[in-house]
Amino acid sequence: MPAFSFTLTKSSPSSLSSWTLSLPSFLPTTTTTTRRRHPKSIVVVSAAAAMNAKPTILVAEKLGEAGLQLLNNFANVDCSYNMTPEELCTKISLCDALIVRSGTKVTRQVFESSGGRLKVVGRAGVGIDNVDLSAATEHGCLVVNAPTANTIAAAEHGIALLTAMARNIAQSNASVKAGKWQRSKYVGVSLVGKTLLVMGFGKVGSEVARRARGLGMQVIAYDPYAPADRARAIGVELVTFDEAISAADFISLHLPLTPTTSKILNDECFSKMKKGVRIVNVARGGVIDEEALVRALSSGIVAQAALDVFTEEPPPEDSMLVLHENVIVTPHLGASTMEAQEGVAIEIAEAVAGALKGELAATAVNAPMVPAEVLSELAPFVGLAEKLGRLAVQLVAGGSGVQSVKITYASARGPDDLDTRLLRAMITKGLIEPISSVFVNLVNADFTAKQKGLKITEERIVLDGSPGKPLEFIQLQIANVESKFAGAISESAEIKVQGMVKEGLPHLTMVGSFGVDVSLEGSLILCKQVDRPGIIGKVGSILGEGNVNVNFMSVGRTAPQKQAVMTIGVDEEPDTETLQKIGEIVAIEEFVFLKL
Ligand SMILES: NC(=O)c1ccc[n+]([C@@H]2O[C@H](COP(=O)([O-])OP(=O)(O)OC[C@H]3O[C@@H](n4cnc5c(N)ncnc54)[C@H](O)[C@@H]3O)[C@@H](O)[C@H]2O)c1
Ligand SMILES: O=C(O)[C@H](O)COP(=O)(O)O
């Protein structure tokens, strides 16, 4: 039986949401496959492991001693720091694994140069934006990271920048060393009693919040996906975006860089802030529009900024932002403590060694491998599963926090006859990826869900009839949340969406208690309305005037002349004015725009 795998590749480099399923035949001649009965997966192991030879691991950036020791026990370790891209491409053909931090770009060329030998890339840290994941997947190379070991270091660095900025430590230190004694120039501001906004209340954000509470600050957080009880437990109030940015004296950024968070602090946002706000960024440079920040600093809206990360690293020598006198900077040092680097080194060494031995890696970030027969049967349902997850999470109201998701699979097959791991993984991917920097796949889905406090339960409905096709429909229910679209709430008070595959394409067939029928492509507008003639036409004309191409519409109602949910598939994102006009139609009670 030949080995097959599936790859999830981004169809557009700028969008995390556009993954496509493909069936590559990339297994190189040096690869062997092993089949395990439980779990039913095919795992690619390195040629070296297959021949019982020691693998070679190239460590391209400084790694903690404990991690190196672990690797040395198992492999030939080549520590070559500061290689040029050309040197890396030359060496890589002799290596089974590569370990990097954020300073090495693992490009498509690296994978191409490896000649199929490179089987694992280990990122000793969280962010994997320096690794070309699509190329890794296409070349059958697993990418693993170390997502937890540097959380505290990053939080401590955030607090260090916050306090140093408030008391002008960097500027006054430079001034004294230059022989000056400028006591009145460097009067600072106090932190106690001030409002700190934590944007992104995840691992790092919540540790920053905890520490800021200890400094006597009022802490508010903006993170539509964070559970309110976790915030409450450390005395943090979750607020809306507009409330957040208008109330803050200080802002600390802890968001992943995603299409939604890219340049989230921009001119419009700065204009709504309190004059004299102070900003700390230890997340990713790209979450701030850096040119807009320079303007906000010059106009005095932003009094000071403390930055560890930049859109381009290192930033240009003449960067107006770096040179601004009210800006203090560090060279991406968030994770750089002795302790964090030891922790990260151990975490990544264990992950890389495990992966080279063919074990399923809990922190894998790219494509898993599944048997051909499972894949070919489930392939059409994979897209449905991800899109239902993506749709459901966007229906959750800010501040609710998703904790409990129930998946129901309706099938004529017996429970043992349907492997749902891939579907569950894709639903988890859909639920988590729009709100996080984590890449979810078959390998890391359960681990990621657990880490995020997301409890996913699965239920089977066994239908009468022919077990020819694996599934009739998939239903998702998110419990204990409010929805930004009340029509999505079912009789049992949960957000409910249901879909099925029709003619090979994923379709949405139910929202809340309303039956609908739309193909899950492009983006969707859901409108809840009093069912009366003429509304479809009105909405259609407004979208037409707004240059938005409608590719389908469907109306599901409870009874004629009662309430209905209209589903409109659109090719473009309508502008605010167009959406406002839809909201102004009297019969429309509520509506929501969702990106698939
Ligand atoms: N400077 C450094 O050296 C350093 C070190 C560690 C982490 N980081 C960076 O810090 C960031 C956070 O890391 P983490 O480990 O806490 O990640 P995390 O996934 O635990 O937390 C991210 C949080 O952001 C929230 N979020 C996602 N999209 C959002 C949106 N549009 N609006 C508001 N909130 C949103 C998520 O719900 C999540 O709670 C990442 O960008 C990471 O790469 C930098
Ligand atoms: O994503 C991360 O883990 C941090 O940004 C740290 O990056 P580094 O490993 O290059 O310090």
Side-chain angles (χ1 to χ4, degrees):
M1 169 77 65
F4 285 82
S5 66
F6 84 94
T7 62
L8 293 165
T9 50
K10 272 195 218 176
S11 54
S12 143
S14 63
S15 161
L16 282 183
S17 61
S18 49
W19 293 78
T20 54
L21 187 76
S22 57
L23 301 169
S25 52
F26 56 62
L27 288 176
T29 47
T30 50
T31 300
T32 60
T33 60
T34 55
R35 176 179 288 252
R36 300 165 165 208
R37 283 191 71 77
H38 300 291
K40 270 200 277 178
S41 62
I42 293 177
V43 181
V44 175
V45 297
S46 70
M51 290 184 291
N52 272 337
K54 265 190 168 189
T56 298
I57 301 176
L58 176 60
V59 180
E61 289 178 75
K62 189 149 176 37
L63 194 69
E65 202 45 49
L68 284 177
Q69 267 174 26
L70 255 160
L71 295 175
N72 272 315
N73 292 340
F74 156 79
N76 301 314
V77 181
D78 174 355
C79 292
S80 294
Y81 307 147
N82 304 316
M83 279 181 288
T84 62
E86 293 72 33
E87 285 165 345
L88 173 59
C89 285
T90 307
K91 265 194 187 271
I92 206 70
S93 61
L94 304 171
C95 303
D96 301 284
L98 167 68
I99 295 182
V100 298
R101 286 177 59 186
S102 62
T104 306
K105 300 248 177 296
V106 190
T107 58
R108 178 168 289 276
Q109 215 188 337
V110 173
F111 294 103
E112 282 167 2
S113 306
S114 92
R117 176 152 175 188
L118 185 65
K119 281 287 154 275
V120 186
V121 171
R123 161 62 172 109
V126 186
I128 34 137
D129 33 298
N130 53 323
V131 181
D132 185 332
L133 281 184
S134 302
T137 304
E138 284 169 35
H139 287 81
C141 181
L142 190 70
V143 180
V144 288
N145 73 346
T148 56
N150 65 25
T151 299
I152 297 299
E156 288 179 350
H157 198 64
I159 294 291
L161 286 177
L162 177 77
T163 50
M165 173 177 68
R167 302 305 294 270
N168 301 307
I169 301 293
Q171 294 91 338
S172 58
N173 172 64
S175 155
V176 175
K177 288 191 171 175
K180 298 177 191 160
W181 192 252
Q182 301 173 291
R183 296 183 65 210
S184 57
K185 183 171 180 187
Y186 294 119
V187 174
V189 289
S190 187
L191 299 177
V192 71
K194 298 283 168 57
T195 300
L196 170 70
L197 162 62
V198 171
M199 288 188 83
F201 194 66
K203 294 189 293 294
V204 181
S206 46
E207 291 300 334
V208 164
R210 199 190 302 279
R211 283 156 180 75
R213 291 285 295 140
L215 294 172
M217 301 187 84
Q218 302 294 328
V219 183
I220 56 175
Y222 169 66
D223 186 333
Y225 317 106
D229 54 355
R230 199 177 74 209
R232 219 174 296 120
I234 48 177
V236 173
E237 190 192 351
L238 286 172
V239 291
T240 64
F241 186 78
D242 283 344
E243 281 169 335
I245 54 169
S246 57
D249 301 304
F250 292 81
I251 298 176
S252 193
L253 295 163
H254 303 289
L255 302 158
L257 180 59
T258 68
T260 322
T261 62
S262 171
K263 298 191 179 176
I264 195 166
L265 296 195
N266 50 32
D267 282 313
E268 191 194 343
C269 181
F270 286 126
S271 72
K272 294 178 184 163
M273 290 180 187
K274 266 191 191 173
K275 196 165 164 56
V277 64
R278 290 173 166 81
I279 293 171
V280 177
N281 189 8
V282 291
R284 280 292 180 267
V287 301
I288 300 182
D289 177 340
E290 291 177 339
E291 288 174 7
L293 177 56
V294 172
R295 287 190 283 276
L297 282 156
S298 304
S299 70
I301 294 177
V302 175
Q304 289 180 300
L307 310 172
D308 183 46
V309 283
F310 305 87
T311 305
E312 187 187 330
E313 292 185 1
E317 277 179 24
D318 60 352
S319 158
M320 284 171 70
L321 190 56
V322 173
L323 297 178
H324 199 287
E325 63 166 342
N326 294 338
V327 175
I328 60 170
V329 290
T330 48
H332 201 148
L333 289 182
S336 295
T337 63
M338 312 280 275
E339 295 82 355
Q341 283 313 308
E342 282 303 292
V344 163
I346 293 170
E347 202 176 352
I348 204 63
E350 284 174 347
V352 168
L356 281 174
K357 289 176 198 157
E359 292 163 11
L360 291 176
T363 62
V365 288
N366 67 338
M369 313 253 167
V370 292
E373 60 275 18
V374 177
L375 176 63
S376 61
E377 270 220 305
L378 291 183
F381 297 92
V382 165
L384 171 68
E386 182 180 355
K387 285 186 171 174
L388 284 176
R390 213 166 258 285
L391 196 122
V393 79
Q394 289 179 71
L395 288 167
V396 176
S400 293
V402 180
Q403 281 176 305
S404 172
V405 177
K406 185 166 117 187
I407 310 171
T408 306
Y409 307 99
S411 165
R413 298 253 175 107
D416 292 338
D417 231 0
L418 181 68
D419 186 340
T420 59
R421 288 176 312 144
L422 181 54
L423 300 170
R424 189 179 67 232
M426 297 313 286
I427 290 168
T428 308
K429 179 180 173 69
L431 288 166
I432 291 178
E433 280 192 350
I435 59 170
S436 144
S437 54
V438 181
F439 288 79
V440 183
N441 60 29
L442 178 60
V443 181
N444 69 2
D446 291 342
F447 170 82
T448 310
K450 198 170 164 202
Q451 257 210 334
K452 300 251 166 220
L454 187 62
K455 191 171 162 237
I456 300 187
T457 52
E458 292 177 288
E459 195 177 277
R460 290 287 308 274
I461 297 177
V462 182
L463 303 169
D464 291 337
S466 149
K469 61 176 175 179
L471 272 168
E472 197 54 43
F473 66 80
I474 303 176
Q475 185 185 85
L476 292 197
Q477 285 163 282
I478 305 184
N480 305 321
V481 287
E482 285 174 16
S483 177
K484 57 173 87 146
F485 184 72
I489 302 283
S490 67
E491 307 87 345
S492 48
E494 289 148 336
I495 290 182
K496 182 163 95 179
V497 291
Q498 185 174 306
M500 64 197 298
V501 170
K502 288 186 179 182
E503 292 167 8
L505 291 175
H507 276 239
L508 179 68
T509 52
M510 186 167 276
V511 174
S513 310
F514 296 91
V516 294
D517 186 6
V518 288
S519 158
L520 285 168
E521 291 167 87
S523 298
L524 283 185
I525 298 173
L526 298 182
C527 298
K528 189 164 144 226
Q529 65 202 55
V530 179
D531 183 30
R532 63 170 71 135
I535 298 176
I536 295 181
K538 272 188 196 160
V539 176
S541 336
I542 293 171
L543 289 170
E545 282 160 23
N547 274 330
V548 177
N549 195 34
V550 175
N551 51 41
F552 53 78
M553 279 192 177
S554 140
V555 178
R557 58 192 182 181
T558 45
Q561 305 295 315
K562 291 200 169 165
Q563 279 182 322
V565 164
M566 176 160 57
T567 332
I568 306 157
V570 288
D571 290 336
E572 295 86 21
E573 180 167 355
D575 58 25
T576 321
E577 202 188 325
T578 305
L579 289 173
Q580 238 163 16
K581 281 187 193 163
I582 296 176
E584 280 160 12
I585 299 175
V586 179
I588 289 187
E589 294 171 0
E590 56 167 346
F591 74 101
V592 66
F593 173 73
L594 306 165
K595 282 187 189 172
L596 293 175

